[in-house]
């Protein structure tokens, strides 16, 4: 029997009116939801004094109040805890914190001071060696282990003194022929040994290790490694200083209350003071100058426990001690360590730091003395290389001195440099340490000093590099800018060594881009190409060349200007290594997408960026990671979206065709091109207002053809399905009916190929939900697709139903029935006299068939087939384990009939009653849902066109779960 003989006749306009929300006029007055709320707060104060009366005060606040705060009556749990604290203690703490902050503001080192830790890595990376190194390791003391019997204090003291002396009596082992890595590993072992000895309460052993390490700083046999050695050894000294300080600080804990950060010596107990003095006495007994200096400097902070002036008295004495170190390199690093410790514990004592540096200037001539020269001859080290070893130490000393220093001091430093004959090493450190603004303002003075420097020592190009680094951070006087560039480039362009040249040129490119036009930038790029092309020197300078490109695109955001720089693209040709070339191309594309505000059709930009995008695309191979492919595709898509030829749609399509041939290996790019071409077709329709001429009709068909031949090349099946549907909709909108049919047929034929599992974000997921979503969208489109005159009635719907019938569904899935339910929605909409929506200038089946009875009979036949399939599935769910699913599907099918069926048909009416009873039969129905559904039916029965719902409501019983 044909249950759905007639679909319910729908008047979509009147239904839409009924469903609209009722508009109610509102008098807002002064109310507005975004205005701040005015809260009136009333407080009642009761006075307990004699003769006083209760008084109520009311205050009104127009500021925004937090509703949560008002619940807490102005207090929150954390505030209550704070209020419960001792008010005297709280006040004292606040005062001390305020004082500490005020003191910190005036004397402490701020975040604008570059810490030593940031320089450590650079020094270790820069100062390396391939020569063999030696190290003396502490081997432990048998005497110390033997002396365990005596318990008297005098015995213990004597034992410890013997242990200390034992260090200088041969309890050490010399390891020879170590590589740099072995040496660093040994130093790390010593650092760990120090911590282990300390944690096992072997304080003397710990001190011996530190003394042993400090002695290594007097050894300059492999001189080019000395700066790195200094870094490694001072790490151990820092660890020791911290351990000693924390040990003494822990002894100051009194009644579980530790000392505040800004404690005074008076608050330190006698035991802690005695221990602290003991450490200083032990260190004073070290015979050799260098270990004695370093170990005392390491625990300099401990002077805080003894007296307020301890640190200020020790710093000048330690500064004077350094005068006894004969080797100028060893001495300058000792001064650097003292500055480092001094800045940590007493940054306000700048006088001592200045004295330290002026001492260094007085002994500066030692560098060119016979002793040093003989040592360099033995080690085969050239004087320019030797002088660069001083840079980290002098840079650090000057940084400490120059920190927040007045300009008077900086000017004085310049004068001292001149008195020393404009020593290049010193001048370089001055430019590295002083504020960039100070250097930039005096650029011409510094250039004059650089010219007068001795070429044989510190290389001049390094001085110009340091000057360039400053000018990248601060601008020189405008009148001097061109002269500065000319003076610097005269020196840079004469450099023969490509590495020296590129290190210098890299810095000055930024200065050129900041202050000059494309002409000067082009000249600089041409010079770089000229210097780096011979003997393929560019292969050793990729980081610097990348940096140059980065600086150019940082300052030039106008890409038509950038690509008109004649030497820019030849410069890119120097990146011969593929991974580097791709990284550079990515940088350029990121800059383009970020800074290009308007779409472009400039042929210079298009040709250059197509070349760059092609380079990125061609780097993709079987080993390329998915993330990398996604990134490259996103950059290329960003470029494609920015290309617009305005009303020249044919040129636009030609560009997309060219792009398709160039980027065929990146699927997201092909997807973007299909979307772009579809958009182009719709823009053509918009321009023609839907009335295509012969020319535009042919153009739109060309766009449709582009999409039709591109989609099959995609691998993702759901991407193909959705693009077939989307492109078919575009073809339909442009009255390309046969082309639209071709898209929809392709989509129908592709459905059987949908796999059971698909990859989503790298994880395998069932495809049913995705297929259901696609088919629902497809049904919505099929409503307005007119039948082909040479095909049968509803040929696309029939074809799709056959595919759904043959598709292998999971046994535990109800998606097939859900799809059939949606098919009933479609068929019901198709049976209406006028469809709910249309495509402009396309006649759908409601117009073509005009409600013909044969057409409606075909729809009814399809409905009968679909309903039979649904009922068969419900019957198969009659087993105990699937009764809940049966209940849910029965109610869903009931709602479909209620919404779309004509319930005046008796058999359809009976079917709906049977489905209602089946939904409740086994107690799995949701009672609330059933009640609300029945209420809806009763409400609908009061409307004239659905008065027959009254009889239906009487036939729908509500069963309790019991």
């Amino acid at each position: 029997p044909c249950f759905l003989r007639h679909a319910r006749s729908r008047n979509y306009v009147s239904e839409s009116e009924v469903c609209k929300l009722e508009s109610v006029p509102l008098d807002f007055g002064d109310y507005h939801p975004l205005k701040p709320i005015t809260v009136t707060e009333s407080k009642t104060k009761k006075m307990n004094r004699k003769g006083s009366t209760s008084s109520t005060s009311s205050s009104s606040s127009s500021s925004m109040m937090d509703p949560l705060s008002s619940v807490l009556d102005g207090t929150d749990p954390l505030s209550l805890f704070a209020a419960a604290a001792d008010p005297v203690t709280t006040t004292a703490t606040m005062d001390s914190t305020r004082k500490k902050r005020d003191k910190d503001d005036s004397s402490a080192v701020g975040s604008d001071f570059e810490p030593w830790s940031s320089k450590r890595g650079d020094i270790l990376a820069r100062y390396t060696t391939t020569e063999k190194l030696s190290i003396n390791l502490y081997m432990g003391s048998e005497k110390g282990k033997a002396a365990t019997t005596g318990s008297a204090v005098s015995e213990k003291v004597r034992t410890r003194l013997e242990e200390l002396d034992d260090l200088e009596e041969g309890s050490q082992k010399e390891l020879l022929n170590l590589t740099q890595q072995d040496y660093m590993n040994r130093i790390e072992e010593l650092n760990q040994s120090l911590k282990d000895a300390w944690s096992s309460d072997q304080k003397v052993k710990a001190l011996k290790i530190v003394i042993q390490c400090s002695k290594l700083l007097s050894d300059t046999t492999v001189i080019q490694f000395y700066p790195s050695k200094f870094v490694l050894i001072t790490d151990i000294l820092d660890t020791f200083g911290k351990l000693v300080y924390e040990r003494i600080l822990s002894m100051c804990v009194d009644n579980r209350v530790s000392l505040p950060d800004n404690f005074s010596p008076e608050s330190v107990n006698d035991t802690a003071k005695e221990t602290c003095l003991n450490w200083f006495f032990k260190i004073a007994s070290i015979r050799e100058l260098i270990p004695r200096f370093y170990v005392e400097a390491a625990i300099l902070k401990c002077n805080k426990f003894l007296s307020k002036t301890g640190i200020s008295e020790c710093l000048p004495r330690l500064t004077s001690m350094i005068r006894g170190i004969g080797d100028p390199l060893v001495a300058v690093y000792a001064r650097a360590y003292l500055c480092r410790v001094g800045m940590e514990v007493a940054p306000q004592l700048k006088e001592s730091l200045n004295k330290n540096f002026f001492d260094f200037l007085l002994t500066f001539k030692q560098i060119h003395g016979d002793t040093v020269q003989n040592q360099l001859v033995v080690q085969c080290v050239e004087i320019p290389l030797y002088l660069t070893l001083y840079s980290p130490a002098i840079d650090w000393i000057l940084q400490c001195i120059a920190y927040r220093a007045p300009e008077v001091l900086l000017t004085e430093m310049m004068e001292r440099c001149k008195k020393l004959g404009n020593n290049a090493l010193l001048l370089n450190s001055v430019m590295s340490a002083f504020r960039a603004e100070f250097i930039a303002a005096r650029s011409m003075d510094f250039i004059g000093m650089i010219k007068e420097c001795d070429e044989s020592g510190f290389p001049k190009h390094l001085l110009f590099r340091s000057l360039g680094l400053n000018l990248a951070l601060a601008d020189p006087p405008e009148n001097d800018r061109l002269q500065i560039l000319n003076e610097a480039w005269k020196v840079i362009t004469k450099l023969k060594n490509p590495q020296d040249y590129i290190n210098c040129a890299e810095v000055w490119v930024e200065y050129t881009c900041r202050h000059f036009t494309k002409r000067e930038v082009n000249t600089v790029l041409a010079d770089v190409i000229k210097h780096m092309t011979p003997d393929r020197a560019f292969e050793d300078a990729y980081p610097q060349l990348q940096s140059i490109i980065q600086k150019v695109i940082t300052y030039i955001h106008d890409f038509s200007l950038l690509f008109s720089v004649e030497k820019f693209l030849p410069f890119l040709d120097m990146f011969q290594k593929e991974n580097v070339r791709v990284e550079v191309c990515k940088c350029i594309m990121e800059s383009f997408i970020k800074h290009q505000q308007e779409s472009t059709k400039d042929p210079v930009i298009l040709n250059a960026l197509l070349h760059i995008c092609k380079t990125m695309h061609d780097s993709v191979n079987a080993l390329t990671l998915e993330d990398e492919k996604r990134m490259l595709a996103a950059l290329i898509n960003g470029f494609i979206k920015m290309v617009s030829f305005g009303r020249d749609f044919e040129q636009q399509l030609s560009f997309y065709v060219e792009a398709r041939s160039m980027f065929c290996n990146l699927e997201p790019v092909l997807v973007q091109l299909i979307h772009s071409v579809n958009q182009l077709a719709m823009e053509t329709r918009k321009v023609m207002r839907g009335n295509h001429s012969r020319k535009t009709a042919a153009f739109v068909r060309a766009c449709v053809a582009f999409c039709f031949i591109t989609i099959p090349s995609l691998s993702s099946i759901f991407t193909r399905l959705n693009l077939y549907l989307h492109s078919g909709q575009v073809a339909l909108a442009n009255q390309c009916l046969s082309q639209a049919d071709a898209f929809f047929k392709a989509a129908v034929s592709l459905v059987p190929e949908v796999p059971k599992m698909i990859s989503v974000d790298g994880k395998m997921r069932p495809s049913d939900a995705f297929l259901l979503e696609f088919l629902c969208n497809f049904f919505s489109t099929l409503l307005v697709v007119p039948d082909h005159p040479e095909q049968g009635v509803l040929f696309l719907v029939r074809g799709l139903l056959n595919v759904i019938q043959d598709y292998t569904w999971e046994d535990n899935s109800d998606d097939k029935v859900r799809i059939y339910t949606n098919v009933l929605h479609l068929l019901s909409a198709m049976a209406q006299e006028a469809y709910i929506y249309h495509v402009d200038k396309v006649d759908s089946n409601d117009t073509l068939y005009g409600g013909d009875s044969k057409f409606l009979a075909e729809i009814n036949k399809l409905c009968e087939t679909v309903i039979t399939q649904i009922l068969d599935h419900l019957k198969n769910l009659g087993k105990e384990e699937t009764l809940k699913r049966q209940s849910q599907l029965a109610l869903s099918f009931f709602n479909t009939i209620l919404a779309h069926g004509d319930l005046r048909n008796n058999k359809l009416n009976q079917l709906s009653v049977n489905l209602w009873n089946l939904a409740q039969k086994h107690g799995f129905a949701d009672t609330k849902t059933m009640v609300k559904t029945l209420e809806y039916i009763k409400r609908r029965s009061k409307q004239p066109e659905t008065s027959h719902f009254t009889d239906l409501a009487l036939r729908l019983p509500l069963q309790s779960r019991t």
Side-chain angles (χ1 to χ4, degrees):
C2 181
F3 291 113
L4 195 59
R5 182 68 63 192
H6 300 290
R8 180 166 71 88
S9 295
R10 307 286 289 274
N11 186 332
Y12 292 117
V13 176
S14 61
E15 283 184 35
S16 176
E17 289 297 324
V18 170
C19 293
K20 279 184 180 177
L21 292 174
E22 185 181 356
S23 58
V24 180
L26 287 176
D27 182 18
F28 284 101
D30 290 335
Y31 169 77
H32 189 279
L34 300 181
K35 279 181 72 174
I37 301 167
T38 302
V39 179
T40 303
E41 184 181 2
S42 296
K43 294 181 182 176
T44 303
K45 298 179 184 176
K46 292 187 178 178
M47 314 297 283
N48 294 325
R49 290 179 189 163
K50 191 175 179 182
S52 66
T53 57
S54 306
S55 65
T56 303
S57 67
S58 178
S59 63
S60 177
S61 167
S62 64
S63 61
M64 288 289 286
M65 287 196 67
D66 178 8
L68 299 180
S69 301
S70 60
V71 173
L72 293 167
D73 191 26
T75 60
D76 63 90
L78 299 179
S79 300
L80 291 173
F81 282 124
D86 181 9
V88 176
T89 309
T90 306
T91 307
T93 306
M94 287 174 66
D95 287 346
S96 66
T97 305
R98 192 180 295 111
K99 285 176 186 173
K100 181 187 173 190
R101 187 173 64 246
D102 293 344
K103 183 182 175 185
D104 286 351
D105 288 344
S106 63
S107 62
V109 173
S111 58
D112 55 337
F113 183 80
E114 188 182 1
W116 174 259
S117 55
S118 67
K119 299 177 180 291
R120 186 181 176 282
D122 291 338
I123 296 172
L124 289 174
R126 183 177 171 191
Y127 298 97
T128 57
T129 184
T130 53
E131 294 187 33
K132 299 299 182 183
L133 302 156
S134 63
I135 189 172
N136 292 322
L137 279 180
Y138 169 66
M139 299 303 293
S141 169
E142 294 304 319
K143 280 188 208 171
K145 290 175 186 172
T148 55
T149 52
S151 59
V153 176
S154 59
E155 182 69 22
K156 186 177 178 182
V157 171
R158 186 166 65 252
T159 303
R160 286 200 170 178
L161 286 172
E162 287 175 358
E163 280 183 335
L164 204 55
D165 285 339
D166 184 45
L167 180 66
E168 303 185 24
E169 292 172 7
S171 62
Q172 49 196 351
K173 177 183 176 183
E174 188 173 19
L175 298 177
L176 302 172
N177 297 324
L178 297 176
T179 64
Q180 180 180 320
Q181 190 57 51
D182 291 337
Y183 188 91
M184 293 170 77
N185 293 341
R186 295 293 182 186
I187 295 292
E188 184 52 42
E189 285 174 21
L190 283 172
N191 202 353
Q192 191 56 47
S193 299
L194 167 65
K195 294 174 185 174
D196 294 343
W198 192 272
S199 59
S200 60
D201 206 29
Q202 292 179 283
K203 304 293 189 291
V204 171
K205 181 180 177 182
L207 180 58
K208 286 182 176 181
I209 292 170
V210 175
I211 294 170
Q212 183 67 49
C213 291
S214 303
K215 281 188 172 184
L216 295 173
L217 289 173
S218 61
D219 175 25
T220 56
T221 48
V222 183
I223 203 161
Q224 61 267 38
F225 184 64
Y226 191 85
S228 291
K229 184 199 287 190
F230 171 79
V231 168
L232 297 169
I233 301 297
T234 51
D235 283 351
I236 296 177
L237 288 163
D238 292 342
T239 302
F240 177 71
K242 187 178 177 185
L243 290 171
V244 173
Y245 183 82
E246 288 176 354
R247 163 75 176 147
I248 299 170
L249 188 64
S250 67
M251 298 172 75
C252 299
V253 176
D254 191 20
N255 295 328
R256 296 188 178 180
V257 178
S258 58
L259 288 176
D261 288 344
N262 56 338
F263 65 86
S264 63
E266 290 77 23
S267 55
V268 179
N269 59 44
D270 291 343
T271 308
K273 283 185 177 179
E274 187 180 343
T275 305
C276 186
L277 276 170
N278 189 26
W279 275 110
F280 280 111
F281 290 154
K282 281 179 184 174
I283 291 165
S285 67
I286 299 171
R287 294 171 189 169
E288 293 186 31
L289 172 61
I290 289 175
R292 185 166 75 249
F293 163 80
Y294 273 107
V295 180
E296 184 174 352
I299 67 163
L300 182 65
K301 192 177 180 182
C302 294
N303 278 286
K304 288 172 66 177
F305 297 108
L306 300 176
S307 71
K308 288 182 179 178
T309 58
I311 293 174
S312 58
E313 290 169 358
C314 277
L315 275 173
R317 180 171 54 79
L318 290 170
T319 302
S320 301
M321 281 173 67
I322 298 172
R323 294 175 183 173
I325 300 175
D327 190 312
L329 185 66
V330 177
V332 80
Y333 276 94
R335 295 183 191 284
Y337 187 66
L338 188 59
C339 283
R340 187 168 127 200
V341 176
M343 285 298 282
E344 285 176 16
V345 302
Q348 71 278 12
L349 299 176
K350 282 287 183 69
E351 298 81 12
S352 298
L353 298 180
N354 295 347
K355 181 175 182 290
N356 191 2
F357 182 68
F358 294 147
D359 268 11
F360 164 70
L361 293 182
L362 291 172
T363 58
F364 194 76
K365 292 178 182 176
Q366 283 182 300
I367 291 175
H368 301 287
D370 292 342
T371 310
V372 171
Q373 297 300 326
N374 293 338
Q375 186 184 13
L376 297 182
V377 170
V378 171
Q379 295 198 35
C380 302
V381 174
E382 298 290 332
I383 192 74
L385 174 61
Y386 174 69
L387 289 176
T388 59
L389 302 178
Y390 284 80
S391 291
I394 301 175
D395 288 354
W396 177 258
I397 295 168
L398 281 168
Q399 181 186 321
C400 295
I401 292 170
Y403 181 63
R404 292 183 181 173
E407 290 211 355
V408 179
L409 177 65
L410 306 182
T411 311
E412 183 186 345
M413 291 289 176
M414 283 184 70
E415 293 304 320
R416 286 182 178 257
C417 285
K418 287 178 182 176
K419 285 180 183 175
L420 283 170
N422 288 329
N423 182 276
L425 171 63
L426 198 55
L427 191 57
N428 188 62
S429 294
V430 166
M431 288 191 287
S432 300
F434 288 4
R435 289 194 306 275
E437 295 79 10
F438 176 85
I439 304 296
R442 297 162 177 77
S443 299
M444 291 308 298
D445 293 341
F446 277 100
I447 285 176
M449 293 168 71
I450 291 170
K451 282 182 175 178
E452 293 172 16
C453 285
D454 182 13
E455 184 66 47
S456 62
F458 200 87
K460 277 188 183 178
H461 68 85
L462 291 182
L463 296 175
F464 274 107
R465 186 177 191 278
S466 298
L467 180 60
L469 288 169
N470 281 288
L471 296 178
L473 299 172
D475 297 335
E478 194 167 345
N479 296 335
D480 295 340
R481 289 174 185 174
L482 184 58
Q483 190 179 352
I484 290 169
L485 180 61
N486 288 334
E487 292 290 349
W489 211 260
K490 275 182 201 171
V491 175
I492 297 167
T493 195
K494 289 177 183 174
L495 294 171
K496 300 286 186 251
N497 184 313
Q499 206 60 40
D500 290 344
Y501 171 84
I502 197 64
N503 285 336
C504 218
E506 173 206 352
V507 172
W508 281 88
V509 164
E510 183 166 4
Y511 174 77
T512 310
C513 294
R514 271 170 75 106
H515 301 297
F516 299 99
T517 64
K518 73 168 190 176
R519 179 171 158 273
E520 287 80 10
V521 173
N522 190 58
T523 304
V524 169
L525 293 182
D527 197 58
V528 174
I529 294 169
K530 178 185 166 187
H531 278 79
M532 301 308 292
T533 306
D535 302 324
R536 298 177 70 83
F538 53 77
E539 291 182 344
D540 299 320
Y542 284 138
Q544 293 92 331
L545 295 173
Q546 274 181 275
S547 174
I548 289 174
I549 289 288
Q550 190 67 56
K551 285 166 181 171
V552 170
I553 60 178
T554 299
Y555 288 98
I556 303 179
H557 296 158
D558 181 349
F559 277 76
S560 58
L561 178 66
L562 177 66
F563 292 124
S564 66
V565 174
E566 187 184 342
K567 294 297 180 180
F568 184 76
L569 290 176
F571 190 93
L572 292 182
D573 292 338
M574 286 197 291
F575 295 99
Q576 301 279 308
K577 194 175 179 183
E578 187 180 62
N579 62 331
V580 181
R581 187 166 70 247
V582 171
E583 282 302 314
V584 171
C585 291
K586 279 159 67 175
C587 283
I588 295 170
M589 291 310 302
E590 283 168 3
S591 178
F592 175 78
I593 292 166
K594 181 179 178 182
H595 296 114
Q596 186 73 21
Q597 301 296 323
E598 299 175 352
S599 53
T600 181
K601 61 177 181 178
D602 186 330
V604 175
I605 294 179
L606 296 190
N607 289 332
L609 291 184
L610 277 172
H611 171 70
I612 288 168
C613 289
K614 177 70 173 162
T615 301
M616 295 195 300
H617 169 270
D618 292 349
S619 70
V620 175
N621 55 42
L623 300 177
T624 307
L625 297 173
E626 287 302 316
D627 282 349
E628 178 72 6
K629 286 182 186 177
R630 267 196 294 274
M631 182 186 289
L632 295 176
L635 292 172
I636 295 172
N637 284 345
F639 163 59
I640 289 170
K641 289 176 190 174
M642 293 303 296
V643 176
S644 172
F645 290 89
R647 285 291 185 89
D648 190 350
F649 291 163
E650 291 183 353
Q651 184 68 36
Q652 189 83 33
L653 183 59
S654 298
F655 170 76
Y656 291 144
V657 171
E658 185 183 359
R660 181 180 62 185
S661 66
M662 293 177 77
F663 309 127
C664 55
N665 289 335
L666 288 172
E667 193 161 300
V669 178
L670 294 178
V671 172
Q672 177 59 46
L673 287 169
I674 292 167
H675 284 308
S676 296
V677 170
N678 278 328
Q679 187 179 358
L680 188 62
M682 294 307 289
E683 282 178 12
T684 308
R685 178 180 180 273
K686 184 179 177 183
V687 169
M688 300 302 293
R689 297 180 183 175
N691 299 310
H692 284 299
S693 64
R694 183 179 295 178
K695 183 179 180 182
T696 59
F699 174 75
V700 166
R701 284 196 292 273
C703 291
V704 170
F706 176 98
C707 297
F708 192 74
I709 62 174
T710 308
I711 293 172
S713 64
L714 304 175
S715 61
S716 168
I717 193 159
F718 278 103
T719 303
R720 274 185 282 161
L721 281 170
N722 286 312
L723 285 172
Y724 274 134
L725 178 57
H726 183 224
S727 301
Q729 291 166 344
V730 171
L732 199 61
N734 283 283
Q735 300 121 52
C736 302
L737 301 183
S738 58
Q739 286 86 349
D741 282 348
F743 278 116
F744 297 140
K745 281 181 186 175
V748 170
S749 63
L750 194 58
V751 170
E753 297 178 25
V754 174
K756 294 288 173 288
M757 305 291 286
I758 57 170
S759 176
V760 180
D761 295 331
K763 295 178 182 177
M764 297 306 291
R765 301 277 172 83
S767 63
D768 293 359
F770 297 95
L771 183 57
L772 179 62
E773 182 187 1
F774 166 74
L775 289 173
C776 289
N777 289 337
F778 199 1
F779 294 149
S780 301
T781 303
L782 288 179
L783 174 63
V784 293
V785 177
D787 281 345
H788 195 284
E790 296 177 7
Q791 305 283 347
V793 177
L794 302 178
F795 74 101
L796 283 171
V797 177
R798 290 176 188 279
L800 190 53
L801 284 172
N802 290 335
V803 166
I804 294 166
Q805 175 64 28
D806 295 339
Y807 189 79
T808 308
W809 300 90
E810 295 290 336
D811 293 336
N812 61 347
S813 169
D814 298 320
D815 285 330
K816 186 176 181 179
V817 172
R818 292 193 178 92
I819 290 168
Y820 281 145
T821 306
N822 280 291
V823 171
L824 289 178
H825 300 169
L826 169 64
L827 294 173
S828 171
M830 281 182 160
Q832 305 303 316
E833 284 186 25
Y835 291 171
I836 189 170
Y837 50 81
H838 293 86
V839 176
D840 189 33
K841 296 186 172 54
V842 174
D843 292 332
S844 299
N845 286 338
D846 57 341
T847 306
L848 293 179
Y849 292 108
D852 185 77
S853 57
K854 290 181 181 179
F855 175 64
L856 295 177
E858 289 293 330
I859 291 176
N860 286 334
K861 281 181 187 177
L862 282 176
C863 288
E864 184 180 341
T865 306
V866 170
I867 287 177
T868 304
Q869 292 284 339
I870 293 173
L871 293 177
D872 286 348
H873 187 82
L874 284 171
K875 190 175 178 181
N876 292 335
L877 294 177
K879 298 172 187 174
E880 188 175 345
E881 64 272 15
T882 55
L883 290 176
K884 186 173 182 180
R885 283 166 56 198
Q886 186 189 57
S887 170
Q888 291 170 343
L889 286 177
L891 183 60
S892 173
F893 189 24
F894 171 83
N895 286 328
T896 292
I897 294 174
L898 191 65
H900 300 281
D902 186 353
L903 289 171
R904 285 174 294 199
N905 180 314
N906 291 332
K907 290 181 178 178
L908 193 59
N909 197 304
Q910 184 58 48
L911 174 61
S912 63
V913 173
N914 292 344
L915 289 168
W916 177 269
N917 292 328
L918 180 62
Q920 300 183 96
K921 185 175 180 181
H922 300 287
F924 286 105
D926 180 45
T927 309
K928 284 184 181 178
T929 305
M930 303 301 282
V931 169
K932 286 183 178 179
T933 305
L934 191 55
E935 287 174 356
Y936 167 76
I937 294 169
K938 289 176 180 177
R939 209 163 47 246
R940 287 285 305 277
S941 68
K942 295 174 184 177
Q943 297 173 9
E945 68 271 14
T946 52
S947 57
H948 57 281
F949 276 26
T950 306
D951 295 334
L952 177 65
L954 295 172
R955 299 177 64 195
L956 301 178
L958 278 175
Q959 296 177 5
S960 65
R961 291 200 174 193
T962 55

